[in-house]
Amino acid sequence: MNKLELQSKIYRFDNDDNLYFVSIILVDGDSIVDFFYYATSLTELKDSLENNGKYFILTCWCGVPDCAGIEQGIQVTHYQNTVTWTITQPKPHRIFTFYADDYKTIITEGIAKIKQDLANLCLTKTGEKNDKLEIVPRWEDDIPLIKLLDISTKNF
Ligand SMILES: [Zn+2]
């Protein structure tokens, strides 16, 4: 069985002073892609908890999978007490299998933790809004993500 982890990280770049809030997926301790380039769709990840299907769990920083060359989502297959991910894009082709119970717990608790991390970051220590914070992928038009993370323009 593979071990899944979901975490939030802050990325910075030399050419601006923004704080980029990025959710990253690790399997067996390693990032599954370069999250300086790809992003995690938490809504697709949440949607994959119940049903089989293809989910664009990996996407571009702008929120459009195509933009990062991803035309096929991750195939998620629930079978007995396991959940299998078949990743074809981005390469390499990979198959990961998780215990179904762990899958549900890790994603549910991971999203709750990310929501908390974000709430803590939205305000600076002096109680002002943190206008340097950018959520990745782009969230402004993403109503399901806004609901999932309980964010809105009033926080920014
Ligand atoms: Zn893009």
Side-chain angles (χ1 to χ4, degrees), residues 34-123:
D34 178 0
F35 285 102
F36 275 96
Y37 184 74
Y38 299 100
T40 302
S41 168
L42 295 176
T43 48
E44 290 280 302
L45 193 58
K46 184 166 183 278
D47 287 348
S48 79
L49 285 177
E50 301 297 335
N51 298 309
N52 294 341
K54 285 196 170 170
Y55 295 91
F56 287 102
I57 294 165
L58 296 174
T59 183
C60 181
W61 269 42
C62 70
V64 180
D66 252 358
C67 180
I70 298 173
E71 289 157 358
Q72 290 200 39
I74 297 177
Q75 176 70 52
V76 179
T77 308
H78 295 255
Y79 179 71
Q80 295 180 345
N81 64 341
T82 66
V83 178
T84 298
W85 280 10
T86 304
I87 304 178
T88 49
Q89 289 178 326
K91 285 178 177 164
H93 182 270
R94 287 164 286 174
I95 295 174
F96 299 126
T97 304
F98 313 109
Y99 286 115
D101 286 349
D102 289 352
Y103 190 75
K104 199 160 273 185
T105 306
I106 287 160
I107 292 175
T108 306
E109 290 179 359
I111 290 173
K113 175 73 166 51
I114 284 169
K115 191 173 156 179
Q116 190 57 53
D117 292 345
L118 190 59
N120 291 340
L121 280 166
C122 277
L123 291 176

